[in-house]
Amino acid sequence: STDGTLDQLAKKPFKHTSDTIYLWIRPPHYISTKDFNQNHFNIFYTMHESETFECWKSNWPELLNQCKAVIVPTEWNKRTFESKGVKVPIYVVPLGVNPKIFYGCKTKEFSILAVHEGLGKEGSREDWQTSAEVYLDVFQNTPQQVSFTIKTWNSDIPNFNKFIASIAKKLEKPLEELPRFNIIDTEFLPQDMNALYGRHHLFLKNANREGWCLPAHEAMSTGMKIVCTDLPPMREFLYEKNTQWFKLGDFNKLKEIFSWEFKQWRKWKGYVNSFSQSRSVYKLAEILTKIWLPFS
């Protein structure tokens, strides 16, 4: 077991300890080896890549019938084994991966990125006020699950902070209880910008005017989802199916988009985590206890 599943399983105690469960995470032909003892409580966790058992695999169903039960990772495997003559009970436990190792380049939180000049300045082409207020309003009750990074230059950070404080007062919440902003006001090399895009889920372009937006194009090229004000130049190059549009200053529409994207992100996160090794381990332990109970 390359992802540590077996190690975790070995550390989990069972209610019944009067005998030993022999869990074989092996192809069925290991039943023919000298290490296999039919008098033991043998369970095989195995799988097969096709719907037929041919050549040296032709006796696999017969071999598996010498076990107490078989565990496979998919319903498809279960149907195949049953159709080819496996008579012992077959259970399904999906294989899992370690989410601490395999988590991709994105963060474990719902993260938004904006790139623009003049954060905190009244003359900025970006409507940073609406962006910040919508973000704080939508996520005020889930501050630990979200972040908003703004890559900026030629900015007025004190004025931005003053505005955020005014929104906190409006929401009647202490600043420390609201979702955070990560402000980056330094120059980046292209490879650093690529890494920055890759750590975020949404790219926000809330512009009141724009002739061309290179950061939006860069973000799209990294596979980010785009949220953008409905400006004609942006319509010419942003991929429609990966972009959500809103009219300039439409607070409610941007709020709706943020809420919807966060909901989809949580659904996706839940789906991915359902294939974690921890869930596989506990599911496997549950099945083994169920099989063992009548014989204990």
Side-chain angles (χ1 to χ4, degrees):
S1 175
T2 58
D3 64 1
T5 299
L6 188 57
D7 293 337
Q8 287 195 28
L9 182 65
K11 295 175 183 177
K12 182 175 177 59
F14 288 91
K15 295 180 181 179
H16 309 283
T17 56
S18 59
D19 202 348
T20 302
I21 292 177
Y22 288 79
L23 178 63
W24 299 73
I25 307 180
R26 292 286 188 271
H29 62 269
Y30 276 82
I31 294 174
S32 300
T33 66
K34 63 180 181 179
D35 297 322
F36 184 83
N37 186 336
Q38 281 189 319
N39 295 323
H40 290 160
F41 198 97
N42 296 294
I43 298 173
F44 258 71
Y45 192 152
T46 190
M47 69 190 78
H48 191 40
E49 69 277 6
S50 74
E51 295 181 343
T52 59
F53 294 93
E54 300 174 326
C55 301
W56 63 278
K57 299 180 180 180
S58 60
N59 66 338
W60 279 17
E62 177 186 345
L63 292 172
L64 289 173
N65 284 330
Q66 298 178 40
C67 302
K68 293 293 184 183
V70 175
I71 300 173
V72 293
T74 65
E75 291 289 344
W76 177 85
N77 270 279
K78 180 179 178 179
R79 291 194 299 270
T80 298
F81 280 38
E82 288 176 338
S83 69
K84 298 306 175 184
V86 177
K87 304 297 183 183
V88 296
I90 302 176
Y91 301 88
V92 177
V93 179
L95 289 168
V97 300
N98 188 341
K100 293 182 179 180
I101 299 175
F102 301 100
Y103 57 88
C105 61
K106 297 188 184 298
T107 62
K108 296 180 181 179
E109 62 200 4
F110 180 76
S111 47
I112 302 168
L113 172 67
V115 178
H116 60 73
E117 181 184 10
L119 177 67
K121 293 189 173 181
E122 295 302 323
S124 172
R125 74 178 65 178
E126 303 289 333
D127 185 6
W128 54 267
Q129 296 96 330
T130 298
S131 298
E133 186 173 358
V134 170
Y135 169 70
L136 294 173
D137 182 72
V138 172
F139 302 114
Q140 58 180 300
N141 296 320
T142 54
Q144 302 304 318
Q145 298 183 52
V146 298
S147 68
F148 190 171
T149 299
I150 303 175
K151 170 68 177 74
T152 186
W153 62 100
N154 190 26
S155 56
D156 186 345
I157 303 302
N159 192 51
F160 175 78
N161 290 335
K162 182 179 178 181
F163 176 79
I164 298 304
S166 71
I167 301 302
K169 185 177 181 180
K170 180 179 177 180
L171 295 173
E172 298 181 343
K173 289 202 171 185
L175 270 173
E176 59 270 17
E177 292 182 10
L178 290 174
R180 69 185 184 279
F181 291 89
N182 303 315
I183 309 301
I184 302 175
D185 193 1
T186 57
E187 291 187 12
F188 271 18
L189 294 173
Q191 56 267 34
D192 297 323
M193 280 302 300
N194 182 69
L196 182 66
Y197 290 126
R199 291 196 299 270
H200 295 80
H201 297 272
L202 282 187
F203 181 84
L204 175 63
K205 181 61 179 176
N206 190 358
N208 51 52
R209 62 188 189 276
E210 188 63 72
W212 168 262
C213 182
L214 183 60
H217 205 171
E218 293 171 343
M220 182 176 67
S221 73
T222 66
M224 289 186 71
K225 300 187 74 173
I226 312 294
V227 178
C228 185
T229 42
D230 197 354
L231 301 176
M234 312 303 287
R235 286 275 187 180
E236 291 187 21
F237 73 91
L238 287 178
Y239 183 48
E240 291 288 329
K241 292 186 178 180
N242 200 47
T243 305
Q244 292 209 61
W245 307 92
F246 66 100
K247 293 191 179 299
L248 179 64
D250 193 337
F251 185 97
N252 290 330
K253 182 60 178 178
L254 185 56
K255 183 176 178 178
E256 176 187 316
I257 291 173
F258 276 4
S259 299
W260 188 88
E261 290 290 350
F262 183 57
K263 182 178 179 180
Q264 300 309 306
W265 172 79
R266 288 205 290 192
K267 284 183 178 179
W268 172 241
K269 182 180 178 183
Y271 179 77
V272 170
N273 288 345
S274 69
F275 291 92
S276 70
Q277 67 174 19
S278 294
R279 289 203 177 191
S280 291
V281 166
Y282 284 103
K283 176 73 172 177
L284 188 56
E286 180 183 321
I287 293 297
L288 292 177
T289 302
K290 178 180 179 180
I291 298 170
W292 174 250
L293 193 59
F295 298 91
S296 63

